[in-house]
Amino acid sequence: MIKLNINDETSRLRSVLLGTARSNGGVPSLEDAYDPKSMLHIKQKTYPKEEDMMREIEAVEAVFNKYGVQVFRPKIIENYNQIFARDIGFVIDDVFIKANILPDREQELDAIQHVLSQIDPEKVIRFPEEAHIEGGDVMPHGDYIFVGTYRGDDYSDYIIARTNMNAVACLENMFPNKKVVSFNLRKSNTNPYENALHLDCCFQPVGEKYAIIHKNGFLVEEEYQWLVNFFGSQNVFEITSEEMFHMNSNIFSIAPDVVISERNFTRLNTWLRSKGITVEEVPYAEISKQEGLLRCSTLPLVRE
């Protein structure tokens, strides 16, 4: 049995589900693309090749093996994108919450049933259908749960709005001892420089006390400022719109002093090292063309 334990984003990782790029399905049509960054690369004919993405994910698995992390993989669905494991679920404390995801991605949950079957069934739950939620929007942080959402009346117009206030209420009810703080995120179906698909596209805690953040990812300046004040402005690394586009906030922590980051994130990686954090650099620029990066493709199950 897997004894789930996730209380934050940075404690020492022991067990993780890592997505796969095998049998990825090739280049989707524009009509089937979910996000503006994928659309951009489809139009430019620069959409990533399966073999390149497989090589990138293998580089991440090699880092996990280096640090003795137990790695689970989804079963392969032929001709289907299964890279972004974080979309389909997340763990808070000892509870696995299945995401209410886009309907045609439901089979991704079936592909990890061999993992879910190793968890106490009473600890695997799902919110009501009207509570939309994906793991990229949910960040446990000790006594807090940070949640990205979209509160606009035009929510249904945005395929890239993935977590609603019904889900925020469900989190509050399920974890009454935690403070759930929601953040209204900027959404665009067409402009990848103006779209925070999930909270981890514009914010992530790192190390013992630091955070990476992109101000324009937040629609409400006071909510952005709340995060800056929470961590302390001296502990916050502000990324530019170009860095947000390349997913600089979407790195992944193995421990407070070890992160996996994209090798081209020169400014960020230099800053992390200046804070005493070991940076394991991997190539991930091809996967980032689908508006997701390292946090998106990992689903932590157990941290110390």
Short mmCIF file of all heavy atoms in Angstrom, two decimals, residues 48-79:
data_model
loop_
_atom_site.label_atom_id
_atom_site.label_comp_id
_atom_site.label_asym_id
_atom_site.label_seq_id
_atom_site.Cartn_x
_atom_site.Cartn_y
_atom_site.Cartn_z
N PRO A 48 6.24 19.97 -30.67
CA PRO A 48 7.31 19.03 -30.31
C PRO A 48 7.10 17.61 -30.85
O PRO A 48 5.97 17.14 -30.97
CB PRO A 48 7.29 19.03 -28.78
CG PRO A 48 5.92 19.51 -28.41
CD PRO A 48 5.54 20.48 -29.48
N LYS A 49 8.22 16.96 -31.15
CA LYS A 49 8.20 15.58 -31.64
C LYS A 49 8.22 14.61 -30.45
O LYS A 49 8.84 14.88 -29.42
CB LYS A 49 9.43 15.31 -32.52
CG LYS A 49 9.46 16.13 -33.80
CD LYS A 49 10.70 15.78 -34.61
CE LYS A 49 10.71 16.45 -35.97
NZ LYS A 49 10.79 17.92 -35.87
N GLU A 50 7.55 13.48 -30.64
CA GLU A 50 7.43 12.49 -29.57
C GLU A 50 8.80 12.05 -29.04
O GLU A 50 9.02 11.98 -27.83
CB GLU A 50 6.64 11.28 -30.06
CG GLU A 50 6.49 10.18 -29.02
CD GLU A 50 5.67 9.00 -29.53
OE1 GLU A 50 4.55 9.23 -30.03
OE2 GLU A 50 6.16 7.87 -29.43
N GLU A 51 9.74 11.78 -29.95
CA GLU A 51 11.03 11.26 -29.49
C GLU A 51 11.78 12.28 -28.63
O GLU A 51 12.48 11.93 -27.68
CB GLU A 51 11.90 10.81 -30.68
CG GLU A 51 12.18 11.88 -31.72
CD GLU A 51 11.17 11.89 -32.87
OE1 GLU A 51 10.00 11.50 -32.66
OE2 GLU A 51 11.59 12.28 -33.98
N ASP A 52 11.61 13.58 -28.96
CA ASP A 52 12.27 14.62 -28.17
C ASP A 52 11.64 14.72 -26.78
O ASP A 52 12.34 14.87 -25.77
CB ASP A 52 12.17 15.97 -28.88
CG ASP A 52 12.97 16.00 -30.17
OD1 ASP A 52 13.97 15.26 -30.27
OD2 ASP A 52 12.59 16.76 -31.09
N MET A 53 10.33 14.63 -26.72
CA MET A 53 9.65 14.72 -25.42
C MET A 53 9.94 13.50 -24.56
O MET A 53 10.10 13.60 -23.34
CB MET A 53 8.15 14.91 -25.63
CG MET A 53 7.81 16.25 -26.28
SD MET A 53 6.04 16.60 -26.29
CE MET A 53 5.44 15.38 -27.46
N MET A 54 10.02 12.33 -25.18
CA MET A 54 10.37 11.13 -24.43
C MET A 54 11.76 11.27 -23.82
O MET A 54 11.98 10.90 -22.65
CB MET A 54 10.31 9.90 -25.33
CG MET A 54 8.91 9.44 -25.66
SD MET A 54 8.88 8.01 -26.78
CE MET A 54 9.81 6.81 -25.83
N ARG A 55 12.68 11.82 -24.58
CA ARG A 55 14.04 12.01 -24.08
C ARG A 55 14.05 12.98 -22.89
O ARG A 55 14.77 12.78 -21.91
CB ARG A 55 14.91 12.54 -25.23
CG ARG A 55 16.41 12.44 -24.99
CD ARG A 55 17.20 12.45 -26.28
NE ARG A 55 16.66 13.34 -27.29
CZ ARG A 55 16.18 12.94 -28.47
NH1 ARG A 55 16.15 11.66 -28.76
NH2 ARG A 55 15.72 13.81 -29.34
N GLU A 56 13.22 14.01 -22.97
CA GLU A 56 13.17 14.99 -21.87
C GLU A 56 12.61 14.36 -20.60
O GLU A 56 13.15 14.57 -19.50
CB GLU A 56 12.33 16.20 -22.31
CG GLU A 56 13.04 17.03 -23.38
CD GLU A 56 12.26 18.26 -23.82
OE1 GLU A 56 11.04 18.35 -23.54
OE2 GLU A 56 12.88 19.15 -24.43
N ILE A 57 11.54 13.59 -20.72
CA ILE A 57 10.97 12.95 -19.53
C ILE A 57 11.92 11.91 -18.95
O ILE A 57 12.04 11.76 -17.72
CB ILE A 57 9.59 12.35 -19.86
CG1 ILE A 57 8.57 13.47 -20.05
CG2 ILE A 57 9.12 11.40 -18.75
CD1 ILE A 57 7.16 13.03 -20.33
N GLU A 58 12.65 11.21 -19.81
CA GLU A 58 13.64 10.24 -19.33
C GLU A 58 14.73 10.94 -18.52
O GLU A 58 15.26 10.37 -17.55
CB GLU A 58 14.23 9.48 -20.50
CG GLU A 58 13.29 8.43 -21.09
CD GLU A 58 13.74 7.94 -22.46
OE1 GLU A 58 14.84 8.34 -22.91
OE2 GLU A 58 12.98 7.17 -23.08
N ALA A 59 15.07 12.17 -18.89
CA ALA A 59 16.08 12.92 -18.14
C ALA A 59 15.58 13.23 -16.73
O ALA A 59 16.35 13.20 -15.76
CB ALA A 59 16.42 14.22 -18.87
N VAL A 60 14.28 13.50 -16.61
CA VAL A 60 13.70 13.75 -15.29
C VAL A 60 13.69 12.47 -14.46
O VAL A 60 14.04 12.46 -13.27
CB VAL A 60 12.28 14.32 -15.42
CG1 VAL A 60 11.60 14.43 -14.06
CG2 VAL A 60 12.32 15.69 -16.09
N GLU A 61 13.31 11.36 -15.09
CA GLU A 61 13.29 10.08 -14.37
C GLU A 61 14.70 9.73 -13.87
O GLU A 61 14.86 9.20 -12.76
CB GLU A 61 12.75 8.96 -15.25
CG GLU A 61 12.59 7.65 -14.50
CD GLU A 61 11.79 6.61 -15.26
OE1 GLU A 61 11.69 6.71 -16.50
OE2 GLU A 61 11.24 5.71 -14.60
N ALA A 62 15.71 10.05 -14.65
CA ALA A 62 17.09 9.78 -14.23
C ALA A 62 17.45 10.58 -12.98
O ALA A 62 18.16 10.07 -12.09
CB ALA A 62 18.06 10.12 -15.37
N VAL A 63 16.96 11.81 -12.88
CA VAL A 63 17.21 12.61 -11.67
C VAL A 63 16.49 11.99 -10.47
O VAL A 63 17.05 11.88 -9.37
CB VAL A 63 16.77 14.07 -11.87
CG1 VAL A 63 16.96 14.87 -10.57
CG2 VAL A 63 17.56 14.73 -12.99
N PHE A 64 15.26 11.56 -10.67
CA PHE A 64 14.54 10.90 -9.58
C PHE A 64 15.29 9.65 -9.11
O PHE A 64 15.43 9.40 -7.91
CB PHE A 64 13.12 10.52 -10.02
CG PHE A 64 12.17 11.68 -10.12
CD1 PHE A 64 11.19 11.70 -11.11
CD2 PHE A 64 12.24 12.74 -9.24
CE1 PHE A 64 10.30 12.75 -11.21
CE2 PHE A 64 11.35 13.81 -9.31
CZ PHE A 64 10.38 13.81 -10.31
N ASN A 65 15.79 8.87 -10.05
CA ASN A 65 16.56 7.67 -9.69
C ASN A 65 17.82 8.04 -8.91
O ASN A 65 18.19 7.35 -7.95
CB ASN A 65 16.92 6.88 -10.95
CG ASN A 65 15.71 6.25 -11.61
OD1 ASN A 65 14.69 6.04 -10.98
ND2 ASN A 65 15.81 5.98 -12.90
N LYS A 66 18.44 9.11 -9.29
CA LYS A 66 19.66 9.58 -8.60
C LYS A 66 19.37 9.85 -7.13
O LYS A 66 20.23 9.61 -6.26
CB LYS A 66 20.17 10.84 -9.30
CG LYS A 66 21.34 11.52 -8.60
CD LYS A 66 21.76 12.77 -9.35
CE LYS A 66 22.85 13.54 -8.62
NZ LYS A 66 23.26 14.78 -9.36
N TYR A 67 18.17 10.37 -6.84
CA TYR A 67 17.83 10.74 -5.46
C TYR A 67 16.99 9.67 -4.76
O TYR A 67 16.44 9.93 -3.68
CB TYR A 67 17.11 12.10 -5.45
CG TYR A 67 18.06 13.25 -5.69
CD1 TYR A 67 18.32 13.69 -6.98
CD2 TYR A 67 18.73 13.86 -4.63
CE1 TYR A 67 19.21 14.74 -7.21
CE2 TYR A 67 19.62 14.90 -4.86
CZ TYR A 67 19.85 15.34 -6.15
OH TYR A 67 20.73 16.36 -6.37
N GLY A 68 16.89 8.49 -5.35
CA GLY A 68 16.21 7.39 -4.68
C GLY A 68 14.70 7.57 -4.56
O GLY A 68 14.09 7.05 -3.61
N VAL A 69 14.10 8.28 -5.51
CA VAL A 69 12.66 8.50 -5.49
C VAL A 69 11.95 7.34 -6.21
O VAL A 69 12.35 6.96 -7.31
CB VAL A 69 12.30 9.84 -6.17
CG1 VAL A 69 10.79 10.03 -6.24
CG2 VAL A 69 12.96 11.00 -5.42
N GLN A 70 10.90 6.80 -5.61
CA GLN A 70 10.08 5.77 -6.25
C GLN A 70 9.24 6.43 -7.34
O GLN A 70 8.51 7.39 -7.06
CB GLN A 70 9.18 5.09 -5.22
CG GLN A 70 8.31 3.99 -5.78
CD GLN A 70 7.39 3.39 -4.73
OE1 GLN A 70 6.97 4.07 -3.79
NE2 GLN A 70 7.07 2.12 -4.87
N VAL A 71 9.32 5.91 -8.56
CA VAL A 71 8.64 6.52 -9.70
C VAL A 71 7.59 5.57 -10.26
O VAL A 71 7.89 4.43 -10.62
CB VAL A 71 9.64 6.90 -10.81
CG1 VAL A 71 8.89 7.55 -11.99
CG2 VAL A 71 10.71 7.85 -10.28
N PHE A 72 6.34 6.04 -10.33
CA PHE A 72 5.27 5.31 -11.00
C PHE A 72 5.01 5.96 -12.35
O PHE A 72 5.19 7.17 -12.51
CB PHE A 72 3.97 5.36 -10.17
CG PHE A 72 4.05 4.65 -8.85
CD1 PHE A 72 4.33 5.34 -7.68
CD2 PHE A 72 3.84 3.28 -8.79
CE1 PHE A 72 4.40 4.68 -6.47
CE2 PHE A 72 3.91 2.61 -7.57
CZ PHE A 72 4.19 3.31 -6.40
N ARG A 73 4.58 5.15 -13.31
CA ARG A 73 4.26 5.66 -14.65
C ARG A 73 2.85 5.23 -15.04
O ARG A 73 2.39 4.16 -14.66
CB ARG A 73 5.26 5.13 -15.69
CG ARG A 73 6.73 5.33 -15.36
CD ARG A 73 7.12 6.79 -15.17
NE ARG A 73 6.96 7.59 -16.36
CZ ARG A 73 7.88 7.73 -17.32
NH1 ARG A 73 9.01 7.07 -17.24
NH2 ARG A 73 7.65 8.52 -18.36
N PRO A 74 2.17 6.04 -15.85
CA PRO A 74 0.85 5.62 -16.34
C PRO A 74 0.96 4.47 -17.33
O PRO A 74 1.99 4.31 -17.98
CB PRO A 74 0.31 6.88 -17.05
CG PRO A 74 1.31 7.95 -16.83
CD PRO A 74 2.58 7.33 -16.40
N LYS A 75 -0.08 3.66 -17.43
CA LYS A 75 -0.16 2.70 -18.52
C LYS A 75 -0.36 3.46 -19.82
O LYS A 75 -1.03 4.50 -19.85
CB LYS A 75 -1.29 1.70 -18.27
CG LYS A 75 -1.00 0.77 -17.11
CD LYS A 75 -2.01 -0.34 -16.98
CE LYS A 75 -1.57 -1.32 -15.89
NZ LYS A 75 -2.61 -2.33 -15.60
N ILE A 76 0.19 2.95 -20.90
CA ILE A 76 0.17 3.67 -22.17
C ILE A 76 -1.21 3.58 -22.83
O ILE A 76 -1.77 2.50 -23.01
CB ILE A 76 1.23 3.11 -23.14
CG1 ILE A 76 2.63 3.18 -22.51
CG2 ILE A 76 1.19 3.88 -24.47
CD1 ILE A 76 3.11 4.57 -22.17
N ILE A 77 -1.75 4.74 -23.17
CA ILE A 77 -2.94 4.82 -24.03
C ILE A 77 -2.41 5.13 -25.43
O ILE A 77 -1.71 6.13 -25.62
CB ILE A 77 -3.90 5.92 -23.56
CG1 ILE A 77 -4.29 5.72 -22.10
CG2 ILE A 77 -5.14 5.97 -24.46
CD1 ILE A 77 -5.01 6.92 -21.49
N GLU A 78 -2.71 4.31 -26.39
CA GLU A 78 -2.16 4.50 -27.73
C GLU A 78 -2.61 5.83 -28.34
O GLU A 78 -3.79 6.19 -28.27
CB GLU A 78 -2.57 3.34 -28.65
CG GLU A 78 -1.96 1.99 -28.26
CD GLU A 78 -0.45 1.98 -28.32
OE1 GLU A 78 0.12 2.66 -29.21
OE2 GLU A 78 0.18 1.31 -27.48
N ASN A 79 -1.64 6.54 -28.92
CA ASN A 79 -1.91 7.79 -29.64
C ASN A 79 -2.65 8.81 -28.78
O ASN A 79 -3.68 9.36 -29.16
CB ASN A 79 -2.71 7.51 -30.92
CG ASN A 79 -1.92 6.66 -31.89
OD1 ASN A 79 -0.74 6.92 -32.14
ND2 ASN A 79 -2.55 5.61 -32.40
#
